[in-house]
Amino acid sequence: MTNTGMFFRMLLSAVFRRRSRAVMAVVASLVGAATLFCLAMICIAVPQQMNQEMRAYGANLIVTPLADSENSKSGIDDAMVEHTTEMVSAKGSEKHATYRYENVRVNAAPYVMAGVNPAQVRNLNHHWVVDGSWPSTGKVLVGRDVADAMGLKVGGSITIGYRASDNAASSGQASQSGTDGTDGTAQSGTDGTSDGQTSSGSTGAQQTQNGHVSSDIMDTSGTEFRVAGIVDTGGSEDSIIYALAGDVDKLTGSTRGVDVIEYSSGASDLTALVNSINDMTSMHVKAQQVTKITASDTRVITMLQTLFWIVSLVVLVFTLVGVGTTISSIVSQRRNEIGLRKALGASSHAIGVEFYVESAVYGLLGGLLGTATGYGMARWLCATVFERSIGFNWWLAVVSVVFSALVAVVASIPPVHRATRIDPAVVLREE
């Protein structure tokens, strides 16, 4: 029999003669591997899925025209929208939607109307709850607050009027509803069409564009739209009326760029992306993060990672103690055997290698069983707690098994060191 064959025969004989100790060492490694693999799977898979789901709750990046640029009056044109989108998509996956905001009147009350592409908005905001359908030609989607205030129902009608004086101060910028408190002087619309100047106290106010532009604060004329649906988001979107961009162009009598581009970006470093856009001063746009999305995302991921490291450290300590204690017990039981072998000429190195290999075997067995157990725990936790599915990560499984073997070997260093220092004369004298 070769030396290698004899070595493995002695190793197997030592394992099976002390099966209870071997089982204890394997269980210690199993518990450690199962816990660490389960936490690692959750900390890797769940944040990725949560990041994707967070992105379904709206934009994490918005781009607006610079206040002192020409874009502040004319909006962001299609070419600049395309260029900005190329910059965002170069850093990762992206979804976007564009908005043109105008102040309008409904029954003389001020509201904000947004010209949008429904497909873009729907793809970006999966959390929007729409009762009815999305806007189409001649049909609008109204926010829940607007519908409640006006008593609107799906399928009903709404008359929307556009007044140049409502939007003159902002010159095409996105406006907040209710900011227009006085009529003042009617100024030219964004397309340059002038409806003359009229003092706030004069009568016989002028109208243009079939009644769409008026300086009469009590004027209720305008264009009639059908209510295609009512959107409920629980946010500021509920106070806005959404229509096709083309319908807004017809209502205002002008065509211009958009006021806001919202992005849901998958960039790994969103701050760097924002800085790269803002550094391009020739673009005349300003990018900024939507903190309510990015902060929530970052906070959840940080909490999971912190939990992982804390629990991993505790589990690692217990695994080292468990395996180390088991190997120490085995060394104590085999003390006489070790002394006899050293008396017969066995070197300390050979004895140490045997114990290290034995410990590695315990670690490998515990790692294999623990990885399988950990995967089962991870699937159960993801399904019950996070309501997500999770796939098997092969490279992480390999790392888990190898790491378990290494931990077992490291835990066995102190007892093996004591074993190699056993004096055979003292042991044989005791016999």
Side-chain angles (χ1 to χ4, degrees):
M1 180 178 290
T2 63
N3 291 337
T4 303
M6 178 59 71
F7 174 81
F8 283 106
R9 183 174 181 178
M10 293 173 58
L11 181 64
L12 292 175
S13 176
V15 170
F16 283 105
R17 283 203 309 269
R18 298 169 180 83
R19 289 187 292 271
S20 61
R21 300 292 181 183
V23 170
M24 290 176 61
V26 171
V27 169
S29 296
L30 183 153
V31 172
T35 306
L36 294 179
F37 184 77
C38 175
L39 287 175
M41 285 286 289
I42 292 175
C43 288
I44 291 175
V46 171
Q48 293 177 348
Q49 295 183 15
M50 290 187 68
N51 183 44
Q52 294 176 355
E53 292 194 9
M54 284 286 188
R55 291 174 58 194
Y57 282 87
N60 56 4
L61 171 67
I62 63 172
V63 176
T64 56
L66 286 175
D68 57 349
S69 69
E70 184 64 27
N71 285 349
S72 65
K73 299 179 180 179
S74 60
I76 307 174
D77 59 28
D78 292 341
M80 188 55 63
V81 171
E82 182 178 356
H83 178 63
T84 307
T85 302
E86 289 176 355
M87 294 184 64
V88 175
S89 61
K91 300 297 183 180
S93 60
E94 65 85 21
K95 295 182 291 185
H96 73 277
T98 59
Y99 302 83
R100 173 190 174 179
Y101 293 107
E102 299 289 351
N103 288 328
V104 296
R105 295 274 175 169
V106 180
N107 292 339
Y111 286 99
V112 175
M113 189 173 193
V116 298
N117 181 325
Q120 293 179 348
V121 177
R122 187 174 187 175
N123 188 40
L124 181 66
N125 301 288
H126 293 290
H127 67 290
W128 284 19
V129 179
V130 176
D131 179 15
S133 59
W134 289 76
S136 57
T137 303
K139 297 181 179 180
V140 297
L141 175 69
V142 299
R144 172 57 62 186
D145 293 344
V146 179
D148 291 343
M150 305 296 297
L152 298 174
K153 301 293 183 182
V154 176
S157 62
I158 178 174
T159 301
I160 302 175
Y162 175 78
R163 301 172 65 235
S165 58
D166 287 343
N167 298 275
S170 60
S171 299
Q173 282 289 348
S175 305
Q176 299 297 325
S177 61
T179 57
D180 182 23
T182 59
D183 192 24
T185 303
Q187 301 178 5
S188 60
T190 55
D191 63 340
T193 303
S194 174
D195 41 41
Q197 293 187 346
T198 310
S199 64
S200 58
S202 64
T203 58
Q206 296 179 355
Q207 296 182 359
T208 62
Q209 298 292 335
N210 296 324
H212 300 170
V213 180
S214 172
S215 59
D216 184 0
I217 194 170
M218 296 305 296
D219 179 37
T220 59
S221 62
T223 302
E224 184 176 294
F225 292 88
R226 305 296 295 181
V227 178
I230 299 174
V231 59
D232 191 349
T233 68
S236 59
E237 297 87 354
D238 292 352
S239 61
I240 299 177
I241 303 171
Y242 297 90
L244 294 183
D247 283 346
V248 175
D249 292 343
K250 293 179 181 178
L251 180 68
T252 61
S254 66
T255 301
R256 63 177 182 84
V258 299
D259 297 303
V260 175
I261 313 173
E262 291 186 349
Y263 289 99
S264 177
S265 172
S268 57
D269 189 349
L270 199 58
T271 302
L273 175 59
V274 169
N275 293 334
S276 65
I277 295 176
N278 291 335
D279 289 342
M280 298 287 290
T281 57
S282 60
M283 296 173 62
H284 301 295
V285 295
K286 177 184 178 182
Q288 55 186 343
Q289 298 184 43
V290 181
T291 55
K292 68 178 181 179
I293 298 296
T294 55
S296 299
D297 197 0
T298 303
R299 184 168 57 253
V300 171
I301 293 175
T302 301
M303 290 174 59
L304 282 174
Q305 291 175 341
T306 302
L307 176 64
F308 169 74
W309 287 113
I310 292 175
V311 176
S312 297
L313 181 61
V314 174
V315 170
L316 181 61
V317 171
F318 278 110
T319 302
L320 289 171
V321 172
V323 176
T325 301
T326 303
I327 298 299
S328 295
S329 176
I330 293 175
V331 169
S332 298
Q333 288 183 343
R334 297 177 61 184
R335 186 169 179 269
N336 294 338
E337 176 188 335
I338 294 171
L340 179 60
R341 289 179 59 189
K342 294 189 72 173
L344 294 175
S347 64
S348 298
H349 174 73
I351 293 173
V353 169
E354 179 181 343
F355 278 103
Y356 285 135
V357 173
E358 183 177 345
S359 299
V361 170
Y362 296 150
L364 285 173
L365 289 175
L368 287 171
L369 296 175
T371 299
T373 304
Y375 175 63
M377 293 170 56
R379 288 197 62 177
W380 178 77
L381 284 173
C382 287
T384 57
V385 178
F386 299 100
E387 297 182 352
R388 292 172 174 83
S389 60
I390 189 171
F392 191 78
N393 193 321
W394 285 102
W395 71 266
L396 186 61
V398 173
V399 170
S400 175
V401 173
V402 174
F403 184 72
S404 297
L406 289 176
V407 170
V409 171
V410 171
S412 66
I413 291 178
V416 171
H417 180 67
R418 291 195 299 269
T420 58
R421 295 179 63 185
I422 291 177
D423 187 353
V426 174
V427 174
L428 294 178
R429 187 183 302 119
E430 293 176 354
E431 289 294 322

